[in-house]
Amino acid sequence: DAAAADPTALRIRGVVFDMDGTLSSPIDEHLHKMRVVLKVPSGHRTLEYVETCLHGEEREWAHRKLVEIETEALANMQVSDGLVPLLRFLQENNIPIAIITRNNAMAVEYFLNTVVPRLPEEDQKLFAFDPAIDRSFKPAKPAPDAMLHISQRWGIPPEQLLMVGDHGDDLLCGLRAGSVSALLRYNHNTQFESIAHIVVDRIDELVNQLDHGFEADMTILA
């Protein structure tokens, strides 16, 4: 194939996905609500603000509010357009898949056990994510630790892994691990294009790069 003929073409042996806005439909409205309710200052990430700037009862209250808003978002959760064809390609090529999300374990369980089962039975079998890492894993994205953990668990060098996400934290997680990063672009996240090796507007556009290999500027700074 094209990649075999081109020795400079990158080949990916494992794919790691963000969940919200990547595997599932975006939840921007709820992310904004979190920042407003918790009064997160500009320039701070919501989770880091809760963990480092709040203490005692105030932090406990913030955690309860986070889960409350995340639970609201579950009602609108849907599988991303184009995801099933991509996962089918990955399964057919024996490429393992995993999740790294900053959401809670309950949301991951809801996605896999409630949203996915709405699909035809033959498609449900494609969602074999292992591992599925939620925010209980520390440090969270954009730190590379979860990506490096998956690399070690799979026995695949990080430079042969692809991190797919819709936010800069996803891309930085991949970049800092030495992996390839792909941005699923929406109207609201074009500012992250400069730190993505690949930019797609629909997730199954990744099939072409994964099938044929691709060029990537691995000198992008994280």
Side-chain angles (χ1 to χ4, degrees), residues 186-214:
Y186 298 99
N187 291 334
H188 64 266
N189 69 355
T190 55
Q191 69 269 30
F192 303 126
E193 290 178 23
S194 62
I195 53 171
H197 298 110
I198 304 170
V199 179
V200 294
D201 295 307
R202 188 177 142 113
I203 203 164
D204 55 350
E205 292 173 20
L206 289 169
V207 170
N208 187 56
Q209 284 95 337
L210 292 168
D211 193 22
H212 298 103
F214 53 92

Side-chain angles (χ1 to χ4, degrees), residues 1-217:
D1 60 23
D6 182 358
T8 67
L10 283 171
R11 294 310 297 248
I12 295 299
R13 294 176 53 207
V15 180
V16 182
F17 295 89
D18 167 54
M19 187 174 73
D20 300 301
T22 304
L23 294 175
S24 65
S25 47
I27 57 167
D28 305 329
E29 175 186 338
H30 295 87
L31 294 176
H32 176 70
K33 183 176 180 179
M34 287 177 191
R35 298 187 66 86
V36 171
V37 170
L38 301 180
K39 298 181 172 61
V40 180
S42 177
H44 285 70
R45 293 181 172 91
T46 301
L47 285 179
E48 278 79 353
Y49 172 72
V50 171
E51 292 296 334
T52 61
C53 300
L54 302 182
H55 305 280
E57 291 184 4
E58 194 175 25
R59 182 188 292 175
E60 291 177 11
W61 173 84
H63 276 298
R64 288 196 299 273
K65 281 296 176 184
L66 276 175
V67 172
E68 184 181 302
I69 296 168
E70 287 167 339
T71 302
E72 285 177 17
L74 298 181
N76 301 316
M77 189 180 259
Q78 297 179 10
V79 171
S80 285
D81 291 339
L83 180 59
V84 168
L86 173 60
L87 294 184
R88 184 174 295 115
F89 169 84
L90 295 174
Q91 185 186 75
E92 289 170 352
N93 287 273
N94 297 311
I95 296 175
I97 54 176
I99 294 172
I100 302 175
T101 178
R102 292 163 64 91
N103 211 323
N104 63 61
M106 179 187 67
V108 176
E109 185 175 325
Y110 183 89
F111 177 70
L112 295 176
N113 297 331
T114 301
V115 177
V116 171
R118 296 172 189 157
L119 298 170
E121 190 172 345
E122 63 270 20
D123 293 341
Q124 295 176 32
K125 299 172 184 176
L126 302 173
F127 288 74
F129 298 98
D130 184 26
I133 295 176
D134 59 62
R135 67 163 170 255
S136 63
F137 185 102
K138 307 289 188 195
K141 298 179 293 188
D145 300 59
M147 196 74 176
L148 294 172
H149 169 77
I150 291 169
S151 169
Q152 184 175 35
R153 178 163 167 173
W154 285 349
I156 299 174
E159 60 269 21
Q160 294 178 357
L161 299 180
L162 175 67
M163 178 72 206
V164 186
D166 68 320
H167 191 275
D169 287 347
D170 307 319
L171 306 177
L172 289 173
C173 174
L175 286 172
R176 290 171 178 172
S179 302
V180 180
S181 289
L183 174 67
L184 180 56
R185 178 170 56 192
Y186 298 99
N187 291 334
H188 64 266
N189 69 355
T190 55
Q191 69 269 30
F192 303 126
E193 290 178 23
S194 62
I195 53 171
H197 298 110
I198 304 170
V199 179
V200 294
D201 295 307
R202 188 177 142 113
I203 203 164
D204 55 350
E205 292 173 20
L206 289 169
V207 170
N208 187 56
Q209 284 95 337
L210 292 168
D211 193 22
H212 298 103
F214 53 92
E215 300 287 342
D217 178 9

